[in-house]
Amino acid sequence: MLEEALGALEIVIWPMVEFEADDALASAAFLAAKNVMVDRVFICTPDKDLSQCVEGARIVQLDRRKRLVRDEAGVIAKFGVSPASIPDYLALAGDAADGYPGLRGWGAKSASAVLARYGRLEQIPEDWREWGLSLAGPSSLADTLSQNRKLAFLFRDLATLRTDIPLFTSIEQLKWPGPTADFPALATRLDDSVRSKRKP
C-alpha cells in the first residue's frame, strides 16, 4: 500500500531486492552530491549507519522527530568520531537495529575514545598501553579486540553501506512532477479506511 501511495504521488522509489534499503539511500546521496546542481542532500533518517554518508554540510541527516539536521560536526558531536569511522564504531559498539552485537565489553564510550585517536580498526595498536587513553578496563578491551579481530572486520563490512548502486543517471529523474491523477482517489480510499477503523 505504501508503494502504491508513493507511486501515485510520483515520488521516486527504488525497490531493493539484492541490496538493503540503507544501501539505496547511501548510493542516492552519493550520486546526488556529485551533481553541481544540487545544493544539499538530506538523508531523512537518524539511523546510525547512515551517519557514515554525511559529508561536511553538503550531505546531512535529518532527524524529523528531534527537528535536528546533523552535519559532519554533528556526527562527531554525537558519536565522537568522524563519519568515515562510523562503520568501525558500529563494529565495536554494535548496532541492535541492524542485528550485530559488537564486541563484548566495548561500548559507545570506549569505541569513540579509541577510534577518535586511531580512526580505523586496523590502526588500533594491540598493546593497550600504546593507546594513551583513560578508559575502564583497557587491557580487557585490547584482549577482546585481539581475539575477535576477524569478527570486528565482519561487523564493519556489514555496517559499511554501498554507494555504487546505479539508481539514476540524471538528477532530473529526481524532480517531483506532482501527484498523478490517481492520487486523490487513493487518498480518499485511505482516509475512508482510517475513518472506518475509528468507528466504535
Side-chain angles (χ1 to χ4, degrees):
M1 186 174 282
L2 177 59
E3 194 169 328
E4 182 185 359
L6 291 172
L9 272 170
E10 281 282 13
I11 292 175
V12 175
I13 55 175
W14 303 295
M16 291 290 104
V17 177
E18 294 179 37
F19 305 107
E20 298 288 332
D22 287 354
D23 293 318
L25 290 173
S27 293
F30 179 78
L31 283 169
K34 287 186 353 183
N35 193 293
V36 295
M37 292 175 56
V38 175
D39 293 325
R40 201 174 197 194
V41 177
F42 286 84
I43 301 174
C44 299
T45 174
D47 287 1
K48 294 176 187 175
D49 57 347
L50 279 149
S51 295
Q52 68 193 266
C53 302
V54 172
E55 289 183 8
R58 183 156 175 74
I59 303 178
V60 297
Q61 275 186 291
L62 172 65
D63 186 333
R64 182 180 53 82
R65 288 185 184 148
K66 293 182 179 176
R67 298 179 181 223
L68 174 71
V69 174
R70 186 171 293 122
D71 58 9
E72 190 160 343
V75 170
I76 294 169
K78 180 172 176 61
F79 298 105
V81 299
S82 71
S85 294
I86 290 293
D88 302 80
Y89 170 90
L90 296 175
L92 293 175
D95 188 354
D98 283 323
Y100 40 91
L103 300 188
R104 181 180 44 80
W106 284 85
K109 288 183 180 179
S110 53
S112 64
V114 173
L115 290 168
R117 175 161 291 188
Y118 295 105
R120 305 290 286 175
L121 292 173
E122 53 269 34
Q123 294 170 350
I124 301 173
E126 291 200 17
D127 187 346
W128 63 271
R129 286 168 290 228
E130 293 180 36
W131 296 357
L133 297 168
S134 178
L135 294 171
S139 173
S140 176
L141 293 173
D143 286 347
T144 298
L145 179 57
S146 178
Q147 293 166 19
N148 295 279
R149 276 193 180 266
K150 285 185 180 178
L151 190 59
F153 289 135
L154 171 63
F155 291 157
R156 183 175 70 182
D157 286 345
L158 293 172
T160 301
L161 299 178
R162 299 275 306 260
T163 58
D164 60 348
I165 305 171
L167 299 172
F168 54 89
T169 55
S170 166
I171 203 72
E172 297 295 322
Q173 294 171 269
L174 302 182
K175 281 190 175 178
W176 186 54
T180 68
D182 297 332
F183 183 70
L186 175 61
T188 300
R189 195 174 92 219
L190 293 174
D191 285 343
D192 289 345
S193 173
V194 170
R195 276 194 284 274
S196 69
K197 287 180 181 175
R198 288 181 181 160
K199 289 180 182 177

